Amino acid sequence: MHDLKEIRINPDLYKEKLAKRNKELITSIDELLVLDEKKRNFQSRADELRKRKNEIAGLIPRSKDDPSKIEELKKESIEVGKQLSNIEAEEGNLTEETNTKLMWLPNAPADDVPLGKDETENQEILKWGNPKTEKWIKPHDEIGVKLNIFDFERGVKIAQSRFTVLTGVGAKLERAIMNFMLDHASERGYRETFPPILINKTSMIGTGQLPKFDGDFYKCEGEDLYLAPTAEVPITNLHRDEVLNLEQLPIKYCAYTPCFRREAGSAGKDTRGIIRQHQFNKVELVKITTSENSALEHEALTNDAEEILKKLELPYRKILLCSGDMGFSAMKCYDLEVWFPSQNTYREISSCSNFGSFQARRMNIKYKVNPKDKAIFAHTVNGSGLAIGRTLAAILENYQTEKGTILVPAVLQPYLGGLKEIN
RNA sequence: GGAGAGAUGGCCGAGUGGUCGAAGGCGGCAUCCUGCUAAGAUGUUGUAGGGUCAAAAGCUCUACCGAGGGUUCGAAUCCCUCUCUCUCCGCCA
């Protein structure tokens, strides 16, 4: 969420920045400002009437000796009250509309984000490792079934399509990856956290999932609870409505959670394998920091995520997303993409974003530089470190041998009782 | 799930219809004072939005006593609904 006052003072700056995402947003800002002006107008009028009502309420007890005066005042107050309720109704509508409009505006791209309309204009920052291209490498789902570590049919039986059962070494490998990633994050100073996975609407609004993306998430019937689409939501909301001290920052958290997404717009995409599931596991890295440090903390967090791929010796590339391809709340975003030999391509396995004050403003997370200073909005940063299921799939392909076994990456062997090969 | 109690400012806590944004205490901040172990005195101390202003400060208005609605000229105070916390019972990992 942006600061409406700032938009009001400098509309052209916001138009220029948001147009980098989408030119239609210029109109949105104009509409927003018209609404805002109307709203303020009604607010002033309502305030005046409220003021008069308050005056009368104070005058009445002071006119105890003059019953006719009291009657007169009561009459006026009722009259003012009628006007007020009309104006208040309109004020309420306009406030609601203005807020909604503001909530639907995406974050402005940072200055160093490349201009572009979609994923074709993203910028490759670096490639790491040597991608395998051997023709005998089987897709992860095929080899997974062959090795009896995926059970797709029964996943569908007990749930739905896009749900998979991991069995035997598959389940153990998933758990090993999870532990490895959490240990890696802990080593780098992220406090391990295990949050609720059902979270309320306020939290979903806080990090920017709602109101715009309603329908992408699972909601509990009759309850104000959603299944977390990412640990970003519960973890970042931990400090909602808090004022932090400068010495506390940066706050660094890591968390493993299952993640749930309806994948409503993805019919037909990635229907094979475990790349796109309604439920998947992920370790998330989250930082709450200052406006001065968020850019550096973002780079550092991305490096922390990259380091996991390096330790696992999985070839990857790092992409800087262009203005048109970034997520709603992000001001700058790197995607890490891991190599999938069977698809002869890189697939997203982590997305590391700096949100600036966009989320913090929604969540009301502030900090004070000095105790007597006015509290200012914090900056938030997060990224996957990493998506576990996709990591497992990538291992199944990149560590596949010609005879159809999987070598266990060295860093994972201690987590699997020294197991070196899956066959 | 049943019965009861409660929710007030950074914290504790008073306040059951009128000048209460809210006593008092603690804490914080500022100034002053003092050699007896860091005490005392005085003052100050919430958030958000609007207006004024080039801007800030200042001034001013409005809202906020868990949330939302209602009664009333007037609500922290009365009524309704909801949420949360605590105690007891039941149930349960």
mmCIF file of all heavy atoms in Angstrom, chain A residues 227-243:
data_model
loop_
_atom_site.group_PDB
_atom_site.id
_atom_site.type_symbol
_atom_site.label_atom_id
_atom_site.label_comp_id
_atom_site.label_asym_id
_atom_site.label_seq_id
_atom_site.Cartn_x
_atom_site.Cartn_y
_atom_site.Cartn_z
ATOM 1 N N LEU A 227 -5.931 -21.080 4.463
ATOM 2 C CA LEU A 227 -4.716 -21.890 4.472
ATOM 3 C C LEU A 227 -3.594 -21.031 3.886
ATOM 4 O O LEU A 227 -3.746 -20.447 2.815
ATOM 5 C CB LEU A 227 -4.903 -23.140 3.617
ATOM 6 C CG LEU A 227 -5.605 -24.314 4.308
ATOM 7 C CD1 LEU A 227 -6.021 -25.362 3.279
ATOM 8 C CD2 LEU A 227 -4.706 -24.945 5.353
ATOM 9 N N ALA A 228 -2.491 -20.959 4.609
ATOM 10 C CA ALA A 228 -1.397 -20.089 4.180
ATOM 11 C C ALA A 228 -0.898 -20.486 2.794
ATOM 12 O O ALA A 228 -0.582 -21.650 2.556
ATOM 13 C CB ALA A 228 -0.253 -20.162 5.176
ATOM 14 N N PRO A 229 -0.809 -19.536 1.862
ATOM 15 C CA PRO A 229 -0.256 -19.831 0.544
ATOM 16 C C PRO A 229 1.278 -19.830 0.589
ATOM 17 O O PRO A 229 1.920 -20.333 -0.325
ATOM 18 C CB PRO A 229 -0.766 -18.693 -0.325
ATOM 19 C CG PRO A 229 -0.981 -17.565 0.610
ATOM 20 C CD PRO A 229 -1.332 -18.165 1.941
ATOM 21 N N THR A 230 1.841 -19.239 1.628
ATOM 22 C CA THR A 230 3.285 -19.178 1.841
ATOM 23 C C THR A 230 3.512 -18.746 3.278
ATOM 24 O O THR A 230 2.688 -18.024 3.846
ATOM 25 C CB THR A 230 3.961 -18.174 0.883
ATOM 26 O OG1 THR A 230 5.215 -17.772 1.465
ATOM 27 C CG2 THR A 230 3.118 -16.931 0.669
ATOM 28 N N ALA A 231 4.632 -19.177 3.862
ATOM 29 C CA ALA A 231 4.942 -18.783 5.243
ATOM 30 C C ALA A 231 5.169 -17.286 5.360
ATOM 31 O O ALA A 231 5.119 -16.721 6.450
ATOM 32 C CB ALA A 231 6.167 -19.537 5.739
ATOM 33 N N GLU A 232 5.412 -16.635 4.239
ATOM 34 C CA GLU A 232 5.542 -15.176 4.230
ATOM 35 C C GLU A 232 4.389 -14.525 5.003
ATOM 36 O O GLU A 232 4.608 -13.561 5.732
ATOM 37 C CB GLU A 232 5.517 -14.685 2.774
ATOM 38 C CG GLU A 232 5.252 -13.200 2.605
ATOM 39 C CD GLU A 232 4.987 -12.828 1.145
ATOM 40 O OE1 GLU A 232 5.084 -13.723 0.277
ATOM 41 O OE2 GLU A 232 4.685 -11.663 0.874
ATOM 42 N N VAL A 233 3.186 -15.057 4.831
ATOM 43 C CA VAL A 233 2.019 -14.396 5.418
ATOM 44 C C VAL A 233 2.036 -14.471 6.948
ATOM 45 O O VAL A 233 2.061 -13.423 7.607
ATOM 46 C CB VAL A 233 0.702 -14.950 4.830
ATOM 47 C CG1 VAL A 233 -0.486 -14.191 5.399
ATOM 48 C CG2 VAL A 233 0.708 -14.858 3.317
ATOM 49 N N PRO A 234 2.053 -15.674 7.541
ATOM 50 C CA PRO A 234 2.103 -15.684 9.011
ATOM 51 C C PRO A 234 3.369 -15.048 9.575
ATOM 52 O O PRO A 234 3.298 -14.326 10.571
ATOM 53 C CB PRO A 234 2.045 -17.176 9.370
ATOM 54 C CG PRO A 234 2.392 -17.905 8.129
ATOM 55 C CD PRO A 234 1.962 -17.024 6.993
ATOM 56 N N ILE A 235 4.507 -15.283 8.958
ATOM 57 C CA ILE A 235 5.762 -14.814 9.553
ATOM 58 C C ILE A 235 5.867 -13.289 9.512
ATOM 59 O O ILE A 235 6.196 -12.652 10.499
ATOM 60 C CB ILE A 235 6.981 -15.441 8.840
ATOM 61 C CG1 ILE A 235 6.965 -16.962 8.994
ATOM 62 C CG2 ILE A 235 8.275 -14.863 9.396
ATOM 63 C CD1 ILE A 235 7.044 -17.452 10.403
ATOM 64 N N THR A 236 5.587 -12.689 8.371
ATOM 65 C CA THR A 236 5.727 -11.231 8.302
ATOM 66 C C THR A 236 4.700 -10.559 9.208
ATOM 67 O O THR A 236 4.973 -9.524 9.801
ATOM 68 C CB THR A 236 5.565 -10.727 6.857
ATOM 69 O OG1 THR A 236 6.245 -11.625 5.977
ATOM 70 C CG2 THR A 236 6.149 -9.342 6.691
ATOM 71 N N ASN A 237 3.537 -11.190 9.338
ATOM 72 C CA ASN A 237 2.489 -10.604 10.179
ATOM 73 C C ASN A 237 2.760 -10.747 11.669
ATOM 74 O O ASN A 237 2.034 -10.175 12.484
ATOM 75 C CB ASN A 237 1.131 -11.228 9.845
ATOM 76 C CG ASN A 237 0.442 -10.517 8.693
ATOM 77 O OD1 ASN A 237 -0.149 -9.458 8.883
ATOM 78 N ND2 ASN A 237 0.536 -11.081 7.496
ATOM 79 N N LEU A 238 3.783 -11.506 12.021
ATOM 80 C CA LEU A 238 4.153 -11.659 13.433
ATOM 81 C C LEU A 238 4.276 -10.303 14.121
ATOM 82 O O LEU A 238 3.927 -10.136 15.274
ATOM 83 C CB LEU A 238 5.500 -12.382 13.511
ATOM 84 C CG LEU A 238 5.647 -13.797 14.055
ATOM 85 C CD1 LEU A 238 4.409 -14.645 13.996
ATOM 86 C CD2 LEU A 238 6.806 -14.507 13.385
ATOM 87 N N HIS A 239 4.781 -9.334 13.386
ATOM 88 C CA HIS A 239 5.049 -8.026 13.996
ATOM 89 C C HIS A 239 4.056 -6.969 13.546
ATOM 90 O O HIS A 239 4.343 -5.777 13.645
ATOM 91 C CB HIS A 239 6.485 -7.598 13.706
ATOM 92 C CG HIS A 239 7.490 -8.490 14.382
ATOM 93 N ND1 HIS A 239 7.744 -8.415 15.721
ATOM 94 C CD2 HIS A 239 8.237 -9.511 13.914
ATOM 95 C CE1 HIS A 239 8.637 -9.334 16.049
ATOM 96 N NE2 HIS A 239 8.956 -10.017 14.964
ATOM 97 N N ARG A 240 2.909 -7.389 13.079
ATOM 98 C CA ARG A 240 1.879 -6.432 12.695
ATOM 99 C C ARG A 240 1.500 -5.578 13.909
ATOM 100 O O ARG A 240 1.456 -6.079 15.033
ATOM 101 C CB ARG A 240 0.643 -7.167 12.172
ATOM 102 C CG ARG A 240 -0.350 -6.233 11.515
ATOM 103 C CD ARG A 240 -1.506 -6.996 10.896
ATOM 104 N NE ARG A 240 -2.317 -7.622 11.912
ATOM 105 C CZ ARG A 240 -2.715 -8.887 11.882
ATOM 106 N NH1 ARG A 240 -2.371 -9.667 10.895
ATOM 107 N NH2 ARG A 240 -3.459 -9.365 12.848
ATOM 108 N N ASP A 241 1.264 -4.279 13.657
ATOM 109 C CA ASP A 241 0.870 -3.348 14.725
ATOM 110 C C ASP A 241 1.904 -3.275 15.836
ATOM 111 O O ASP A 241 1.555 -3.181 17.010
ATOM 112 C CB ASP A 241 -0.498 -3.741 15.309
ATOM 113 C CG ASP A 241 -1.629 -3.500 14.329
ATOM 114 O OD1 ASP A 241 -1.590 -2.485 13.630
ATOM 115 O OD2 ASP A 241 -2.542 -4.343 14.251
ATOM 116 N N GLU A 242 3.167 -3.336 15.460
ATOM 117 C CA GLU A 242 4.213 -3.190 16.473
ATOM 118 C C GLU A 242 5.157 -2.058 16.084
ATOM 119 O O GLU A 242 5.347 -1.766 14.908
ATOM 120 C CB GLU A 242 5.012 -4.499 16.612
ATOM 121 C CG GLU A 242 4.222 -5.620 17.278
ATOM 122 C CD GLU A 242 5.057 -6.869 17.511
ATOM 123 O OE1 GLU A 242 6.300 -6.785 17.474
ATOM 124 O OE2 GLU A 242 4.441 -7.928 17.731
ATOM 125 N N VAL A 243 5.715 -1.431 17.110
ATOM 126 C CA VAL A 243 6.767 -0.443 16.902
ATOM 127 C C VAL A 243 8.063 -1.051 17.422
ATOM 128 O O VAL A 243 8.165 -1.375 18.599
ATOM 129 C CB VAL A 243 6.462 0.878 17.635
ATOM 130 C CG1 VAL A 243 7.601 1.875 17.430
ATOM 131 C CG2 VAL A 243 5.158 1.472 17.145
#
